[in-house]
Amino acid sequence: MRNGEPLPAVGEVLAVLATGLWHWDTATGLVTVDAEAARLLGLPAEQTVLTEAQTRARLHPVDWNEITGVIQLAVAEDTLAEVRVRIMDPEGHVVRVVRSRSKPSFDPARKVYELIGTLQEVTEPRPGTPAGRTAVTGDWRRSREAFLLDAGRALAEARSTAEVLRVAAGLSMPGFSPDGLAVFGVEGDRLTIIGHHGHRPGDDGPFSQMSLATDYPAAEVVRTGRAVYLSDPEDYKSRYPLTWPLARHFGRRSWAFLPLTVAGRTMGAWMAAFTYPVAFTPDERSVLTTVARMLAQALSRAGAAESERELTDGLQRSMLPTLGPRIPGMSIAARYVPTGGGLQVGGDWYDMIPLPGGRFALVIGDVQGHDVRAAGLMGQLRIALRAYASEGHRPDAVLSRASRFLHGMTYDDPETADHRFATCLYVEADPTTGILDVARAGHPDPAIRMADGTVLTRPTAGGLPLGIDPDADYPTTRITLEPSETLLLCTDGLIETGGHDMETGWKRIRTILEDHEGDLEALADALVQAVHGPSSHHTVGPLADRREDDIAVLLLCRQGEGCGCGDTVAVSPRVRRTMLSVAQVEPERVAVARQQLRELLHDWASQDQIDSAVLLLSEMLTNVLVHTDADALLLAEVRGEPGARRMRVEVTDTSDDLPHKRRPGELASSGRGLVLIELLADVWGVDPRGEGKSIWFELFEAGKS
């Protein structure tokens, strides 16, 4: 080259050196190669653009998997990525070995790689030699450490035996990845096959239930606790002539059998088989031994976890009741879901208790804690509640006795007592009339899904959680479950999960109840799955794998037209109503009544009419509490088709003093109740009763008729 002449182009220089140039952008999934790189890949010698799939088809599949690990390590260490790659022909034969060197870059925002590198043909070394396996930035030791770090992390995260086996099958060892794996266990004096990879179904038959005394490598490993390495078929045949015919037809060239040892005990063996000869150098044996140790630990953890889950699921299953015989006119569904933490046992429970005269009781509760102690107390408390109910006590007496029972169990011994309390909701039901007598001990209120899908929480009188005060009282609230209506009882685990509080959690549950179409069992599944996702275990219903808190759910449906819970009786689904008592000593329940009415009218066409109805209800209830000594009973009802419905609100009391309309002065603090009713109601009236009176008003959704 004479002075002053320009340097040749880079591509021309690389072509002279028999070196190809390539560019790979994972964002587009395209690989661009120049003429020399295309020739080395077995393509026509011209610049071309390939997809990742087309490029992968030219490479040995093991090498392609290795490339991704090399790139990640090179990016992490800010070094060149260097790897040897076998080029395959369409028939699957290796035609050449090339060395790839590249400088990868990574965009963390887009999570994509971009690489520019070279390809150069090298003399293919003998498979199984150290030179033939140099990879990952040219450093075998660094490659090995990176592989073991990733393998250890993946095996540590596996939660079941099946997951451990999937991880083991996906391990790509640096430079000498096996294509056949098997994990052997031990039962008594025989080998078992825990899992295998790279074999056809049924191939494990001759090796399953093989005696440990058999002249087979895995059996010897279990007997002696020492690894067996077989570098070629002749070595296998000479050392194990009796079982060589069983292994011959798999077409492998090298085998490694390693003990799976935990706490000094050999629990099985791991086989790694190769389709090419492997010399099993000290480095390779070190990698295999380390993987075997990690695999043994992972299998031991997974086995212990599975045994623990089986034990705790069995414990919970034994404590949960069956729902008993079918109840004429009513249907019941229940679900229990344990917490995902600790032993997966806790204090949530439900029960159905047959009572004399065809009645029955539904119980749902939650003992404080998520441990074996909570589960034990739950079992004893459930038995005590059944005993008190079977003696014929009313709901308030049942909870009072249960509270004294739990208090005595947890407070009698001050030195060793583990003070616990429990929330509980006890419902005594009459299937003939639909009347429900409810007693509540610090538990969430029940909810009712009406025939048209409207969902209302039912405020009930209540007392302290069980076990806190042995002399606590538990007043009873009576509500009526109308035909086609469904009662929901649940523990707070269904409501307060995923960052929700009681208010936002109830809104989510209400949406599920209102939108659901299907029978009672499907509704129970929908409640659990919509909150926590699909389940994989069963007691009386699905059990989920990992949960923030225990869940217990009970659904009671009074059969009617369109309810989807069994036999039906004729009833119009276009009626919804709510009933609530307001005592003289509970003026705060006026606010509860207003909220109940708003929920009843949640889809009413006119917001002004809703506001008017709430105002009039407040006036009527306040009039009873201020001007009489009686308690008030609210009955609100909506009838008809949407857009042309009639709302009726009635307040009843036991006082015989009839209200009368007054002309209050400008500064008067009372006397406007009937004036407001006359102005805002479409129809209203006062009806004397045998004992007491009722005042009522009606509003029409489409205006006055």
Side-chain angles (χ1 to χ4, degrees):
M1 184 184 304
R2 292 186 295 272
N3 291 337
E5 291 185 354
L7 292 172
V10 174
E12 296 175 1
V13 174
L14 294 177
V16 171
L17 299 176
T19 301
L21 190 65
W22 57 271
H23 172 258
W24 181 15
D25 185 356
T26 61
T28 62
L30 299 177
V31 180
T32 303
V33 296
D34 67 4
E36 181 61 17
R39 183 190 69 80
L40 292 174
L41 291 175
L43 299 170
E46 57 186 21
Q47 180 174 328
T48 186
V49 178
L50 306 172
T51 64
E52 289 181 1
Q54 291 172 325
T55 306
R56 185 171 185 169
R58 314 300 303 181
L59 310 182
H60 193 286
V62 173
D63 297 345
W64 175 268
N65 293 334
E66 187 174 328
I67 289 173
T68 58
V70 171
I71 293 170
Q72 293 173 0
L73 185 60
V75 169
E77 298 184 349
D78 193 24
T79 60
L80 292 177
E82 180 174 337
V83 64
R84 293 175 185 265
V85 181
R86 288 164 288 182
I87 307 301
M88 312 293 290
D89 63 14
E91 287 72 35
H93 301 115
V94 177
V95 295
R96 65 174 57 86
V97 177
V98 300
R99 181 177 63 184
S100 170
R101 302 187 71 200
S102 62
K103 178 63 176 177
S105 62
F106 178 67
D107 184 347
R110 301 167 58 209
K111 296 184 178 180
V112 296
Y113 292 89
E114 184 174 8
L115 300 93
I116 298 177
T118 61
L119 284 183
Q120 190 173 34
E121 187 169 4
V122 298
T123 303
E124 182 180 1
R126 183 176 70 86
T129 64
R133 294 185 300 275
T134 300
V136 187
T137 66
D139 186 346
W140 157 263
R141 188 174 301 276
R142 186 159 44 183
S143 170
R144 180 186 66 183
E145 292 172 353
F147 161 73
L148 292 177
L149 182 63
D150 289 340
R153 184 184 301 111
L155 288 171
E157 293 173 354
R159 297 180 55 243
S160 66
T161 299
E163 288 183 18
V164 172
L165 295 175
R166 283 196 295 270
V167 171
L171 295 179
S172 179
M173 300 182 192
F176 69 116
S177 292
D179 70 327
L181 301 172
V183 177
F184 298 89
V186 179
E187 288 185 2
D189 61 348
R190 295 190 174 274
L191 284 178
T192 60
I193 303 292
I194 298 177
H196 58 85
H197 173 71
H199 306 87
R200 295 187 302 271
D203 282 348
D204 59 340
F207 305 94
S208 184
Q209 297 299 316
M210 180 182 288
S211 171
L212 291 178
T214 305
D215 185 31
Y216 180 64
E220 180 180 320
V221 167
V222 173
R223 291 196 308 267
T224 65
R226 294 191 298 270
V228 172
Y229 297 98
L230 305 170
S231 298
D232 55 60
E234 291 301 322
D235 191 11
Y236 197 128
K237 183 177 180 180
S238 64
R239 294 180 60 180
Y240 304 96
L242 295 180
T243 53
W244 163 245
L246 297 177
R248 178 174 55 193
H249 76 278
F250 291 107
R252 305 279 163 55
R253 305 294 300 279
S254 297
W255 300 260
F257 291 84
L258 297 104
L260 299 175
T261 304
V262 177
R265 182 179 67 88
T266 301
M267 57 179 288
W270 173 49
M271 181 199 75
F274 304 81
T275 54
Y276 54 85
V278 178
F280 296 118
T281 64
D283 268 335
E284 293 164 348
R285 295 190 183 202
S286 175
V287 170
L288 291 168
T289 300
T290 303
V291 171
R293 289 173 181 168
M294 293 190 298
L295 182 58
Q297 293 289 340
L299 287 171
S300 177
R301 287 193 302 270
E306 288 169 348
S307 298
E308 186 177 89
R309 283 195 294 270
E310 183 177 352
L311 174 63
T312 55
D313 284 353
L315 174 63
Q316 289 285 174
R317 198 159 32 241
S318 67
M319 290 184 173
L320 290 176
T322 60
L323 293 180
R326 186 179 180 206
I327 301 170
M330 286 189 167
S331 296
I332 299 177
R335 296 292 182 269
Y336 173 76
V337 183
T339 180
L343 291 177
Q344 291 191 330
V345 295
D348 288 24
W349 88 95
Y350 64 84
D351 204 351
M352 191 200 78
I353 307 170
L355 301 175
R359 295 174 298 113
F360 64 94
L362 295 179
V363 188
I364 194 164
D366 180 4
V367 175
Q368 178 189 11
H370 304 99
D371 52 19
V372 174
R373 172 68 170 160
L377 286 174
M378 176 268 286
Q380 296 175 78
L381 184 58
R382 185 173 74 86
I383 293 172
L385 281 162
R386 290 184 69 91
Y388 298 140
S390 299
E391 289 175 353
H393 297 294
R394 296 293 297 166
D396 55 341
V398 170
L399 291 192
S400 294
R401 285 165 168 76
S403 185
R404 284 195 293 273
F405 172 81
L406 184 58
H407 185 274
M409 290 186 62
T410 59
Y411 281 83
D412 279 352
D413 188 349
E415 295 184 359
T416 61
D418 179 12
H419 303 319
R420 302 285 183 107
F421 62 83
T423 66
C424 183
L425 190 65
Y426 183 97
V427 179
E428 184 177 304
D430 185 338
T432 303
T433 62
I435 292 176
L436 309 176
D437 290 324
V438 183
R440 186 170 60 86
H443 201 81
D445 282 309
I448 288 183
R449 181 180 188 266
M450 297 182 172
D452 66 349
T454 300
V455 177
L456 298 179
T457 56
R458 288 293 196 186
T460 55
L464 293 172
L466 305 179
I468 294 179
D469 181 1
D471 299 319
D473 293 326
Y474 297 96
T476 300
T477 302
R478 172 166 289 187
I479 60 178
T480 301
L481 190 66
E482 301 290 347
S484 300
E485 291 186 345
T486 300
L487 175 74
L488 167 68
L489 311 179
C490 69
T491 55
D492 57 4
L494 186 71
I495 307 169
E496 295 179 318
T497 189
H500 287 274
D501 56 21
M502 289 296 291
E503 182 178 356
T504 60
W506 264 124
K507 288 181 180 178
R508 176 174 53 172
I509 299 303
R510 177 181 286 112
T511 300
I512 297 169
L513 290 168
E514 291 177 341
D515 294 343
H516 178 74
E517 296 181 1
D519 61 18
L520 206 62
E521 294 292 334
L523 177 57
D525 287 338
L527 285 168
V528 172
Q529 294 179 9
V531 173
H532 289 291
S535 306
S536 63
H537 305 296
H538 294 269
T539 53
V540 296
L543 289 178
D545 290 325
R546 298 183 65 85
R547 303 294 175 231
E548 298 176 22
D549 194 5
D550 301 340
I551 291 176
V553 177
L554 262 175
L555 294 171
L556 174 67
C557 177
R558 189 176 181 195
Q559 294 167 1
E561 182 179 341
C563 70
C565 64
D567 298 333
T568 62
V569 295
V571 65
S572 171
R574 295 302 181 186
V575 179
R576 68 173 78 150
R577 62 175 61 90
T578 186
M579 182 182 295
L580 184 70
S581 61
V582 180
Q584 285 282 335
V585 295
E586 297 178 312
E588 67 275 4
R589 286 177 66 82
V590 174
V592 176
R594 291 196 294 262
Q595 180 61 30
Q596 284 280 290
L597 184 58
R598 286 193 181 277
E599 291 182 356
L600 190 73
L601 303 175
H602 70 97
D603 59 349
W604 194 264
S606 171
Q607 182 61 47
D608 289 341
Q609 285 187 314
I610 295 176
D611 294 338
S612 297
V614 171
L615 173 61
L616 297 182
L617 171 64
S618 186
E619 285 288 336
M620 292 159 62
L621 290 174
T622 303
N623 185 70
V624 173
L625 298 182
V626 172
H627 298 293
T628 74
D629 295 327
D631 298 336
L633 178 66
L634 161 68
L635 175 62
E637 183 180 272
V638 176
R639 288 180 175 270
E641 299 293 330
R645 290 174 292 187
R646 177 192 298 259
M647 171 210 320
R648 180 182 175 92
V649 178
E650 181 176 344
V651 173
T652 303
D653 65 80
T654 57
S655 171
D656 293 328
D657 296 332
L658 297 178
H660 57 277
K661 187 167 64 174
R662 292 183 288 170
R663 300 292 180 183
E666 183 178 347
L667 299 179
S669 60
S670 63
R672 296 184 176 85
L674 292 185
V675 175
L676 289 173
I677 293 177
E678 188 175 54
L679 288 173
L680 299 177
D682 292 336
V683 181
W684 69 281
V686 179
D687 297 335
R689 299 286 178 90
E691 291 184 359
K693 63 182 179 300
S694 67
I695 181 170
W696 56 271
F697 68 85
E698 293 183 356
L699 292 175
F700 308 131
E701 193 170 21
K704 290 186 178 182
S705 57

